[in-house]
Short mmCIF file of all heavy atoms in Angstrom, two decimals:
data_model
loop_
_atom_site.label_atom_id
_atom_site.label_comp_id
_atom_site.label_asym_id
_atom_site.label_seq_id
_atom_site.Cartn_x
_atom_site.Cartn_y
_atom_site.Cartn_z
N MET A 1 -20.70 -9.32 1.45
CA MET A 1 -21.48 -8.54 0.49
C MET A 1 -20.52 -7.73 -0.37
O MET A 1 -19.59 -7.11 0.12
CB MET A 1 -22.42 -7.62 1.25
CG MET A 1 -23.24 -6.76 0.36
SD MET A 1 -24.39 -5.80 1.37
CE MET A 1 -24.67 -4.46 0.30
N ASP A 2 -20.75 -7.74 -1.64
CA ASP A 2 -19.91 -7.00 -2.56
C ASP A 2 -20.59 -5.69 -2.95
O ASP A 2 -21.81 -5.59 -2.93
CB ASP A 2 -19.64 -7.81 -3.83
CG ASP A 2 -18.73 -9.00 -3.54
OD1 ASP A 2 -18.10 -9.03 -2.48
OD2 ASP A 2 -18.69 -9.90 -4.38
N VAL A 3 -19.79 -4.71 -3.30
CA VAL A 3 -20.30 -3.41 -3.72
C VAL A 3 -20.03 -3.28 -5.22
O VAL A 3 -18.92 -3.52 -5.69
CB VAL A 3 -19.58 -2.27 -2.95
CG1 VAL A 3 -20.04 -0.92 -3.45
CG2 VAL A 3 -19.82 -2.42 -1.46
N LEU A 4 -21.07 -2.90 -5.96
CA LEU A 4 -20.94 -2.74 -7.41
C LEU A 4 -21.07 -1.26 -7.73
O LEU A 4 -22.08 -0.63 -7.45
CB LEU A 4 -22.04 -3.54 -8.12
CG LEU A 4 -21.97 -3.59 -9.63
CD1 LEU A 4 -20.70 -4.33 -10.06
CD2 LEU A 4 -23.18 -4.33 -10.18
N THR A 5 -20.00 -0.69 -8.28
CA THR A 5 -19.97 0.72 -8.66
C THR A 5 -19.41 0.83 -10.07
O THR A 5 -18.32 0.34 -10.34
CB THR A 5 -19.07 1.53 -7.69
OG1 THR A 5 -19.57 1.37 -6.37
CG2 THR A 5 -19.07 2.99 -8.05
N GLU A 6 -20.16 1.48 -10.93
CA GLU A 6 -19.72 1.69 -12.31
C GLU A 6 -19.32 0.38 -12.98
O GLU A 6 -18.35 0.32 -13.75
CB GLU A 6 -18.56 2.69 -12.35
CG GLU A 6 -18.93 4.06 -11.83
CD GLU A 6 -17.74 4.99 -11.72
OE1 GLU A 6 -16.69 4.72 -12.31
OE2 GLU A 6 -17.87 6.00 -11.02
N GLY A 7 -20.02 -0.70 -12.66
CA GLY A 7 -19.72 -1.99 -13.25
C GLY A 7 -18.51 -2.68 -12.65
O GLY A 7 -18.07 -3.71 -13.13
N ILE A 8 -17.95 -2.11 -11.59
CA ILE A 8 -16.76 -2.67 -10.93
C ILE A 8 -17.19 -3.20 -9.57
O ILE A 8 -17.79 -2.49 -8.78
CB ILE A 8 -15.67 -1.59 -10.76
CG1 ILE A 8 -15.26 -1.05 -12.13
CG2 ILE A 8 -14.49 -2.15 -10.01
CD1 ILE A 8 -14.46 0.21 -12.08
N GLU A 9 -16.86 -4.45 -9.31
CA GLU A 9 -17.27 -5.08 -8.07
C GLU A 9 -16.10 -5.12 -7.09
O GLU A 9 -15.02 -5.61 -7.41
CB GLU A 9 -17.75 -6.50 -8.35
CG GLU A 9 -18.42 -7.16 -7.19
CD GLU A 9 -19.05 -8.48 -7.57
OE1 GLU A 9 -19.46 -8.65 -8.74
OE2 GLU A 9 -19.11 -9.34 -6.70
N LEU A 10 -16.32 -4.57 -5.90
CA LEU A 10 -15.33 -4.61 -4.83
C LEU A 10 -15.95 -5.29 -3.62
O LEU A 10 -17.08 -4.98 -3.24
CB LEU A 10 -14.87 -3.21 -4.45
CG LEU A 10 -14.09 -2.43 -5.50
CD1 LEU A 10 -13.79 -1.02 -4.98
CD2 LEU A 10 -12.80 -3.13 -5.86
N SER A 11 -15.19 -6.18 -3.00
CA SER A 11 -15.69 -6.87 -1.82
C SER A 11 -15.55 -5.98 -0.59
O SER A 11 -14.82 -4.97 -0.61
CB SER A 11 -14.92 -8.18 -1.61
OG SER A 11 -13.59 -7.89 -1.23
N GLU A 12 -16.22 -6.38 0.46
CA GLU A 12 -16.09 -5.65 1.73
C GLU A 12 -14.64 -5.69 2.21
O GLU A 12 -14.13 -4.72 2.77
CB GLU A 12 -17.02 -6.23 2.79
CG GLU A 12 -18.49 -6.00 2.50
CD GLU A 12 -18.88 -4.53 2.55
OE1 GLU A 12 -18.33 -3.77 3.37
OE2 GLU A 12 -19.76 -4.14 1.76
N ALA A 13 -13.95 -6.81 1.95
CA ALA A 13 -12.54 -6.92 2.34
C ALA A 13 -11.68 -5.93 1.54
O ALA A 13 -10.75 -5.34 2.09
CB ALA A 13 -12.05 -8.34 2.12
N ASP A 14 -11.99 -5.77 0.26
CA ASP A 14 -11.27 -4.79 -0.57
C ASP A 14 -11.46 -3.39 -0.01
O ASP A 14 -10.50 -2.61 0.11
CB ASP A 14 -11.76 -4.82 -2.02
CG ASP A 14 -11.45 -6.11 -2.75
OD1 ASP A 14 -10.52 -6.83 -2.33
OD2 ASP A 14 -12.14 -6.39 -3.74
N LEU A 15 -12.69 -3.07 0.34
CA LEU A 15 -12.98 -1.74 0.88
C LEU A 15 -12.34 -1.53 2.24
O LEU A 15 -11.86 -0.44 2.55
CB LEU A 15 -14.50 -1.52 0.95
CG LEU A 15 -15.20 -1.49 -0.41
CD1 LEU A 15 -16.70 -1.37 -0.22
CD2 LEU A 15 -14.67 -0.37 -1.29
N ALA A 16 -12.29 -2.59 3.06
CA ALA A 16 -11.63 -2.49 4.36
C ALA A 16 -10.14 -2.21 4.18
O ALA A 16 -9.56 -1.38 4.90
CB ALA A 16 -11.84 -3.78 5.15
N LEU A 17 -9.53 -2.87 3.21
CA LEU A 17 -8.12 -2.64 2.91
C LEU A 17 -7.89 -1.19 2.49
O LEU A 17 -7.00 -0.52 3.00
CB LEU A 17 -7.68 -3.61 1.81
CG LEU A 17 -6.21 -3.70 1.50
CD1 LEU A 17 -5.88 -5.08 0.98
CD2 LEU A 17 -5.78 -2.67 0.51
N LEU A 18 -8.71 -0.69 1.58
CA LEU A 18 -8.58 0.70 1.13
C LEU A 18 -8.84 1.69 2.26
O LEU A 18 -8.16 2.72 2.36
CB LEU A 18 -9.52 0.97 -0.04
CG LEU A 18 -9.19 0.25 -1.35
CD1 LEU A 18 -10.29 0.50 -2.38
CD2 LEU A 18 -7.85 0.68 -1.89
N ALA A 19 -9.79 1.38 3.12
CA ALA A 19 -10.10 2.27 4.25
C ALA A 19 -8.92 2.37 5.21
O ALA A 19 -8.60 3.46 5.71
CB ALA A 19 -11.35 1.79 4.98
N GLU A 20 -8.26 1.25 5.45
CA GLU A 20 -7.07 1.27 6.32
C GLU A 20 -5.97 2.11 5.70
O GLU A 20 -5.33 2.90 6.38
CB GLU A 20 -6.58 -0.15 6.60
CG GLU A 20 -7.48 -0.95 7.51
CD GLU A 20 -7.59 -0.38 8.91
OE1 GLU A 20 -6.55 0.02 9.48
OE2 GLU A 20 -8.71 -0.33 9.44
N LEU A 21 -5.75 1.94 4.42
CA LEU A 21 -4.73 2.74 3.74
C LEU A 21 -5.08 4.23 3.77
O LEU A 21 -4.19 5.07 3.90
CB LEU A 21 -4.56 2.27 2.29
CG LEU A 21 -3.92 0.90 2.11
CD1 LEU A 21 -3.95 0.49 0.64
CD2 LEU A 21 -2.50 0.89 2.64
N ALA A 22 -6.37 4.54 3.66
CA ALA A 22 -6.81 5.94 3.70
C ALA A 22 -6.48 6.57 5.05
O ALA A 22 -6.26 7.79 5.12
CB ALA A 22 -8.30 6.02 3.42
N LYS A 23 -6.43 5.78 6.11
CA LYS A 23 -6.11 6.28 7.44
C LYS A 23 -4.61 6.53 7.60
O LYS A 23 -4.17 7.05 8.62
CB LYS A 23 -6.54 5.27 8.50
CG LYS A 23 -8.02 5.07 8.60
CD LYS A 23 -8.33 3.98 9.61
CE LYS A 23 -9.77 3.56 9.55
NZ LYS A 23 -10.02 2.41 10.45
N GLY A 24 -3.83 6.12 6.59
CA GLY A 24 -2.39 6.32 6.66
C GLY A 24 -1.64 5.14 7.24
O GLY A 24 -0.45 5.24 7.56
N VAL A 25 -2.31 4.01 7.37
CA VAL A 25 -1.69 2.81 7.92
C VAL A 25 -0.78 2.19 6.86
O VAL A 25 -1.13 2.15 5.68
CB VAL A 25 -2.80 1.81 8.35
CG1 VAL A 25 -2.21 0.52 8.87
CG2 VAL A 25 -3.70 2.44 9.39
N THR A 26 0.37 1.69 7.27
CA THR A 26 1.30 1.07 6.32
C THR A 26 0.74 -0.27 5.83
O THR A 26 -0.10 -0.87 6.48
CB THR A 26 2.67 0.81 6.96
OG1 THR A 26 2.53 -0.15 7.99
CG2 THR A 26 3.28 2.10 7.49
N VAL A 27 1.25 -0.71 4.70
CA VAL A 27 0.80 -1.98 4.12
C VAL A 27 1.04 -3.14 5.08
O VAL A 27 0.17 -3.99 5.27
CB VAL A 27 1.51 -2.23 2.76
CG1 VAL A 27 1.28 -3.63 2.27
CG2 VAL A 27 1.04 -1.21 1.74
N ASP A 28 2.19 -3.16 5.73
CA ASP A 28 2.49 -4.25 6.66
C ASP A 28 1.55 -4.23 7.87
O ASP A 28 1.09 -5.28 8.33
CB ASP A 28 3.94 -4.19 7.11
CG ASP A 28 4.91 -4.55 6.00
OD1 ASP A 28 4.54 -5.40 5.15
OD2 ASP A 28 6.02 -4.00 5.96
N ARG A 29 1.24 -3.05 8.35
CA ARG A 29 0.32 -2.95 9.49
C ARG A 29 -1.10 -3.34 9.07
O ARG A 29 -1.83 -3.97 9.83
CB ARG A 29 0.34 -1.55 10.08
CG ARG A 29 -0.53 -1.47 11.32
CD ARG A 29 -0.18 -0.35 12.22
NE ARG A 29 1.09 -0.63 12.87
CZ ARG A 29 1.78 0.26 13.56
NH1 ARG A 29 1.33 1.48 13.68
NH2 ARG A 29 2.91 -0.05 14.12
N VAL A 30 -1.51 -2.97 7.85
CA VAL A 30 -2.81 -3.40 7.33
C VAL A 30 -2.87 -4.91 7.34
O VAL A 30 -3.86 -5.51 7.76
CB VAL A 30 -3.06 -2.85 5.90
CG1 VAL A 30 -4.29 -3.50 5.29
CG2 VAL A 30 -3.23 -1.35 5.92
N GLY A 31 -1.80 -5.54 6.89
CA GLY A 31 -1.74 -7.00 6.89
C GLY A 31 -1.92 -7.58 8.27
O GLY A 31 -2.68 -8.53 8.46
N ARG A 32 -1.25 -7.01 9.25
CA ARG A 32 -1.39 -7.50 10.63
C ARG A 32 -2.82 -7.32 11.12
O ARG A 32 -3.37 -8.20 11.78
CB ARG A 32 -0.41 -6.79 11.54
CG ARG A 32 1.00 -7.32 11.40
CD ARG A 32 1.88 -6.81 12.52
NE ARG A 32 2.02 -5.36 12.42
CZ ARG A 32 3.10 -4.74 11.96
NH1 ARG A 32 4.14 -5.43 11.58
NH2 ARG A 32 3.15 -3.44 11.88
N ARG A 33 -3.42 -6.16 10.83
CA ARG A 33 -4.80 -5.90 11.28
C ARG A 33 -5.81 -6.83 10.63
O ARG A 33 -6.80 -7.21 11.24
CB ARG A 33 -5.19 -4.45 10.99
CG ARG A 33 -4.52 -3.46 11.88
CD ARG A 33 -5.00 -2.06 11.61
NE ARG A 33 -4.34 -1.12 12.49
CZ ARG A 33 -4.58 0.18 12.50
NH1 ARG A 33 -5.45 0.69 11.66
NH2 ARG A 33 -3.93 0.97 13.32
N LEU A 34 -5.55 -7.19 9.35
CA LEU A 34 -6.48 -8.06 8.62
C LEU A 34 -6.06 -9.53 8.71
O LEU A 34 -6.68 -10.39 8.10
CB LEU A 34 -6.58 -7.62 7.16
CG LEU A 34 -7.08 -6.21 6.92
CD1 LEU A 34 -7.08 -5.88 5.43
CD2 LEU A 34 -8.47 -6.01 7.50
N ASP A 35 -4.99 -9.79 9.46
CA ASP A 35 -4.48 -11.15 9.67
C ASP A 35 -4.05 -11.81 8.36
O ASP A 35 -4.36 -12.98 8.11
CB ASP A 35 -5.50 -12.01 10.42
CG ASP A 35 -4.86 -13.22 11.06
OD1 ASP A 35 -3.68 -13.13 11.43
OD2 ASP A 35 -5.54 -14.27 11.17
N ILE A 36 -3.37 -11.04 7.51
CA ILE A 36 -2.79 -11.54 6.27
C ILE A 36 -1.39 -10.95 6.14
O ILE A 36 -1.05 -10.00 6.84
CB ILE A 36 -3.65 -11.19 5.02
CG1 ILE A 36 -3.87 -9.68 4.91
CG2 ILE A 36 -4.97 -11.92 5.04
CD1 ILE A 36 -4.65 -9.23 3.68
N SER A 37 -0.59 -11.50 5.27
CA SER A 37 0.78 -10.99 5.12
C SER A 37 0.80 -9.68 4.34
O SER A 37 -0.12 -9.37 3.58
CB SER A 37 1.65 -12.03 4.39
OG SER A 37 1.32 -12.07 3.03
N GLY A 38 1.88 -8.93 4.52
CA GLY A 38 2.06 -7.70 3.77
C GLY A 38 2.10 -7.97 2.27
O GLY A 38 1.59 -7.18 1.47
N ARG A 39 2.67 -9.09 1.91
CA ARG A 39 2.74 -9.46 0.50
C ARG A 39 1.34 -9.71 -0.07
O ARG A 39 1.04 -9.30 -1.20
CB ARG A 39 3.60 -10.71 0.33
CG ARG A 39 3.79 -11.10 -1.10
CD ARG A 39 4.74 -12.26 -1.22
NE ARG A 39 4.86 -12.64 -2.60
CZ ARG A 39 5.89 -13.24 -3.12
NH1 ARG A 39 6.92 -13.54 -2.35
NH2 ARG A 39 5.92 -13.55 -4.38
N THR A 40 0.48 -10.34 0.71
CA THR A 40 -0.91 -10.56 0.28
C THR A 40 -1.64 -9.24 0.13
O THR A 40 -2.40 -9.04 -0.81
CB THR A 40 -1.64 -11.48 1.27
OG1 THR A 40 -0.96 -12.74 1.32
CG2 THR A 40 -3.09 -11.70 0.86
N VAL A 41 -1.38 -8.31 1.05
CA VAL A 41 -1.99 -6.98 0.95
C VAL A 41 -1.56 -6.32 -0.36
O VAL A 41 -2.40 -5.78 -1.09
CB VAL A 41 -1.61 -6.09 2.15
CG1 VAL A 41 -2.08 -4.66 1.94
CG2 VAL A 41 -2.18 -6.65 3.44
N ARG A 42 -0.29 -6.37 -0.66
CA ARG A 42 0.21 -5.76 -1.90
C ARG A 42 -0.41 -6.41 -3.13
O ARG A 42 -0.78 -5.73 -4.09
CB ARG A 42 1.73 -5.85 -1.96
CG ARG A 42 2.42 -4.92 -1.00
CD ARG A 42 3.95 -5.05 -1.08
NE ARG A 42 4.58 -4.29 -0.02
CZ ARG A 42 4.85 -4.78 1.19
NH1 ARG A 42 4.56 -6.03 1.50
NH2 ARG A 42 5.40 -4.01 2.11
N ARG A 43 -0.53 -7.74 -3.11
CA ARG A 43 -1.12 -8.46 -4.24
C ARG A 43 -2.59 -8.10 -4.40
O ARG A 43 -3.05 -7.84 -5.52
CB ARG A 43 -0.95 -9.98 -4.05
CG ARG A 43 -1.33 -10.77 -5.28
CD ARG A 43 -1.09 -12.26 -5.11
NE ARG A 43 -1.90 -12.79 -4.02
CZ ARG A 43 -1.41 -13.41 -2.95
NH1 ARG A 43 -0.12 -13.61 -2.80
NH2 ARG A 43 -2.22 -13.86 -2.01
N ARG A 44 -3.33 -8.05 -3.29
CA ARG A 44 -4.75 -7.67 -3.36
C ARG A 44 -4.90 -6.22 -3.81
O ARG A 44 -5.81 -5.90 -4.58
CB ARG A 44 -5.42 -7.89 -2.00
CG ARG A 44 -5.67 -9.36 -1.75
CD ARG A 44 -6.30 -9.65 -0.43
NE ARG A 44 -7.43 -8.78 -0.13
CZ ARG A 44 -8.00 -8.72 1.06
NH1 ARG A 44 -7.58 -9.46 2.06
NH2 ARG A 44 -9.01 -7.92 1.27
N LEU A 45 -4.02 -5.36 -3.35
CA LEU A 45 -4.07 -3.96 -3.74
C LEU A 45 -3.81 -3.81 -5.24
O LEU A 45 -4.49 -3.03 -5.92
CB LEU A 45 -3.06 -3.17 -2.92
CG LEU A 45 -3.07 -1.67 -3.07
CD1 LEU A 45 -4.45 -1.09 -2.80
CD2 LEU A 45 -2.05 -1.06 -2.12
N ARG A 46 -2.86 -4.56 -5.76
CA ARG A 46 -2.58 -4.53 -7.20
C ARG A 46 -3.81 -4.99 -7.98
O ARG A 46 -4.16 -4.41 -9.01
CB ARG A 46 -1.37 -5.44 -7.51
CG ARG A 46 -0.97 -5.50 -8.94
CD ARG A 46 -0.24 -4.23 -9.39
NE ARG A 46 -1.15 -3.40 -10.14
CZ ARG A 46 -1.20 -2.07 -10.14
NH1 ARG A 46 -0.37 -1.36 -9.42
NH2 ARG A 46 -2.08 -1.41 -10.83
N ALA A 47 -4.48 -6.03 -7.49
CA ALA A 47 -5.69 -6.54 -8.16
C ALA A 47 -6.81 -5.49 -8.13
O ALA A 47 -7.51 -5.31 -9.12
CB ALA A 47 -6.15 -7.83 -7.50
N ILE A 48 -6.95 -4.80 -7.01
CA ILE A 48 -7.96 -3.74 -6.90
C ILE A 48 -7.65 -2.64 -7.91
O ILE A 48 -8.53 -2.17 -8.64
CB ILE A 48 -8.00 -3.16 -5.47
CG1 ILE A 48 -8.54 -4.20 -4.49
CG2 ILE A 48 -8.85 -1.89 -5.42
CD1 ILE A 48 -8.34 -3.83 -3.02
N CYS A 49 -6.38 -2.21 -7.96
CA CYS A 49 -5.98 -1.15 -8.89
C CYS A 49 -6.27 -1.56 -10.33
O CYS A 49 -6.78 -0.76 -11.12
CB CYS A 49 -4.50 -0.83 -8.72
SG CYS A 49 -4.11 0.05 -7.20
N ASP A 50 -5.96 -2.81 -10.67
CA ASP A 50 -6.22 -3.30 -12.02
C ASP A 50 -7.71 -3.28 -12.34
O ASP A 50 -8.12 -2.89 -13.43
CB ASP A 50 -5.67 -4.70 -12.21
CG ASP A 50 -4.15 -4.74 -12.24
OD1 ASP A 50 -3.52 -3.67 -12.40
OD2 ASP A 50 -3.59 -5.85 -12.08
N ARG A 51 -8.53 -3.70 -11.37
CA ARG A 51 -9.98 -3.74 -11.59
C ARG A 51 -10.58 -2.36 -11.80
O ARG A 51 -11.48 -2.20 -12.62
CB ARG A 51 -10.69 -4.40 -10.40
CG ARG A 51 -11.02 -5.85 -10.66
CD ARG A 51 -11.82 -6.43 -9.53
NE ARG A 51 -10.85 -6.76 -8.48
CZ ARG A 51 -11.11 -6.81 -7.20
NH1 ARG A 51 -12.31 -6.59 -6.75
NH2 ARG A 51 -10.18 -7.12 -6.34
N ILE A 52 -10.11 -1.38 -11.03
CA ILE A 52 -10.72 -0.06 -11.14
C ILE A 52 -10.01 0.84 -12.14
O ILE A 52 -10.45 1.95 -12.40
CB ILE A 52 -10.86 0.63 -9.76
CG1 ILE A 52 -9.50 0.90 -9.13
CG2 ILE A 52 -11.75 -0.19 -8.85
CD1 ILE A 52 -9.57 1.64 -7.80
N GLY A 53 -8.88 0.37 -12.68
CA GLY A 53 -8.20 1.10 -13.74
C GLY A 53 -7.33 2.25 -13.27
O GLY A 53 -7.26 3.29 -13.92
N VAL A 54 -6.66 2.08 -12.13
CA VAL A 54 -5.74 3.10 -11.65
C VAL A 54 -4.36 2.47 -11.49
O VAL A 54 -4.21 1.26 -11.51
CB VAL A 54 -6.21 3.72 -10.31
CG1 VAL A 54 -7.55 4.41 -10.48
CG2 VAL A 54 -6.28 2.69 -9.21
N ALA A 55 -3.35 3.32 -11.32
CA ALA A 55 -1.97 2.84 -11.29
C ALA A 55 -1.40 2.66 -9.89
O ALA A 55 -0.49 1.87 -9.69
CB ALA A 55 -1.07 3.78 -12.09
N THR A 56 -1.91 3.41 -8.91
CA THR A 56 -1.29 3.39 -7.58
C THR A 56 -2.33 3.20 -6.49
O THR A 56 -3.53 3.42 -6.68
CB THR A 56 -0.54 4.70 -7.30
OG1 THR A 56 -1.49 5.77 -7.20
CG2 THR A 56 0.49 5.00 -8.37
N ALA A 57 -1.83 2.85 -5.32
CA ALA A 57 -2.70 2.68 -4.16
C ALA A 57 -3.37 4.01 -3.78
O ALA A 57 -4.55 4.04 -3.41
CB ALA A 57 -1.90 2.15 -2.97
N ILE A 58 -2.64 5.09 -3.91
CA ILE A 58 -3.21 6.41 -3.59
C ILE A 58 -4.39 6.71 -4.51
O ILE A 58 -5.43 7.20 -4.06
CB ILE A 58 -2.12 7.50 -3.70
CG1 ILE A 58 -1.07 7.29 -2.62
CG2 ILE A 58 -2.73 8.90 -3.61
CD1 ILE A 58 0.17 8.13 -2.78
N GLU A 59 -4.23 6.40 -5.79
CA GLU A 59 -5.33 6.61 -6.73
C GLU A 59 -6.53 5.71 -6.38
O GLU A 59 -7.67 6.13 -6.51
CB GLU A 59 -4.88 6.33 -8.16
CG GLU A 59 -3.92 7.36 -8.69
CD GLU A 59 -3.37 6.99 -10.06
OE1 GLU A 59 -3.08 5.80 -10.29
OE2 GLU A 59 -3.24 7.91 -10.89
N ALA A 60 -6.26 4.49 -5.93
CA ALA A 60 -7.34 3.57 -5.57
C ALA A 60 -8.11 4.11 -4.35
O ALA A 60 -9.35 4.07 -4.32
CB ALA A 60 -6.79 2.19 -5.26
N VAL A 61 -7.39 4.62 -3.38
CA VAL A 61 -8.03 5.21 -2.19
C VAL A 61 -8.86 6.42 -2.60
O VAL A 61 -10.01 6.58 -2.18
CB VAL A 61 -6.97 5.58 -1.12
CG1 VAL A 61 -7.58 6.44 -0.03
CG2 VAL A 61 -6.36 4.32 -0.54
N ALA A 62 -8.30 7.28 -3.44
CA ALA A 62 -9.03 8.46 -3.90
C ALA A 62 -10.27 8.06 -4.69
O ALA A 62 -11.34 8.66 -4.53
CB ALA A 62 -8.12 9.34 -4.76
N TRP A 63 -10.15 7.05 -5.54
CA TRP A 63 -11.29 6.54 -6.33
C TRP A 63 -12.43 6.11 -5.41
O TRP A 63 -13.59 6.49 -5.61
CB TRP A 63 -10.81 5.38 -7.20
CG TRP A 63 -11.84 4.81 -8.12
CD1 TRP A 63 -12.06 5.17 -9.41
CD2 TRP A 63 -12.77 3.76 -7.84
NE1 TRP A 63 -13.08 4.41 -9.94
CE2 TRP A 63 -13.53 3.53 -8.99
CE3 TRP A 63 -13.02 2.98 -6.71
CZ2 TRP A 63 -14.53 2.58 -9.06
CZ3 TRP A 63 -14.03 2.03 -6.77
CH2 TRP A 63 -14.77 1.83 -7.94
N ALA A 64 -12.09 5.34 -4.38
CA ALA A 64 -13.11 4.84 -3.45
C ALA A 64 -13.70 5.98 -2.61
O ALA A 64 -14.91 6.02 -2.36
CB ALA A 64 -12.52 3.77 -2.55
N ALA A 65 -12.86 6.92 -2.22
CA ALA A 65 -13.33 8.04 -1.40
C ALA A 65 -14.27 8.94 -2.19
O ALA A 65 -15.31 9.38 -1.67
CB ALA A 65 -12.14 8.84 -0.87
N ARG A 66 -13.95 9.20 -3.45
CA ARG A 66 -14.81 10.04 -4.29
C ARG A 66 -16.19 9.42 -4.47
O ARG A 66 -17.18 10.13 -4.62
CB ARG A 66 -14.18 10.25 -5.67
CG ARG A 66 -13.13 11.32 -5.69
CD ARG A 66 -12.78 11.75 -7.11
NE ARG A 66 -12.34 10.64 -7.93
CZ ARG A 66 -11.09 10.25 -8.12
NH1 ARG A 66 -10.11 10.90 -7.49
NH2 ARG A 66 -10.79 9.25 -8.89
N ARG A 67 -16.26 8.11 -4.42
CA ARG A 67 -17.55 7.41 -4.58
C ARG A 67 -18.18 7.09 -3.23
O ARG A 67 -19.17 6.38 -3.15
CB ARG A 67 -17.32 6.13 -5.39
CG ARG A 67 -17.09 6.47 -6.85
CD ARG A 67 -16.28 5.41 -7.58
NE ARG A 67 -16.03 5.81 -8.96
CZ ARG A 67 -15.05 6.63 -9.35
NH1 ARG A 67 -14.22 7.15 -8.45
NH2 ARG A 67 -14.89 6.93 -10.62
N GLN A 68 -17.60 7.64 -2.17
CA GLN A 68 -18.09 7.48 -0.80
C GLN A 68 -18.22 6.01 -0.41
O GLN A 68 -19.15 5.61 0.29
CB GLN A 68 -19.39 8.23 -0.60
CG GLN A 68 -19.24 9.71 -0.84
CD GLN A 68 -20.53 10.49 -0.66
OE1 GLN A 68 -21.61 9.92 -0.64
NE2 GLN A 68 -20.40 11.79 -0.53
N LEU A 69 -17.26 5.20 -0.84
CA LEU A 69 -17.25 3.79 -0.48
C LEU A 69 -16.45 3.56 0.79
O LEU A 69 -16.62 2.54 1.46
CB LEU A 69 -16.65 2.96 -1.63
CG LEU A 69 -17.39 3.03 -2.95
CD1 LEU A 69 -16.62 2.29 -4.04
CD2 LEU A 69 -18.79 2.45 -2.80
N ILE A 70 -15.58 4.52 1.11
CA ILE A 70 -14.79 4.43 2.35
C ILE A 70 -14.90 5.73 3.11
O ILE A 70 -15.30 6.74 2.56
CB ILE A 70 -13.30 4.09 2.09
CG1 ILE A 70 -12.64 5.13 1.18
CG2 ILE A 70 -13.17 2.71 1.50
CD1 ILE A 70 -11.15 4.97 1.02
#
């Protein structure tokens, strides 16, 4: 199921990735937890940032938290 906020669609997997980062988990550990490589996590995170119009992972986490998505 995807979440649509302000015309921006984020998947449950995207939100799970952001939620793990919000807990302070490293990118490589997020990859292990989600059974994907750290490089894939970074690539997906960059795509999320591009979609929501922010520059960094911290901004992406804050964006999702402010909208109570994570």
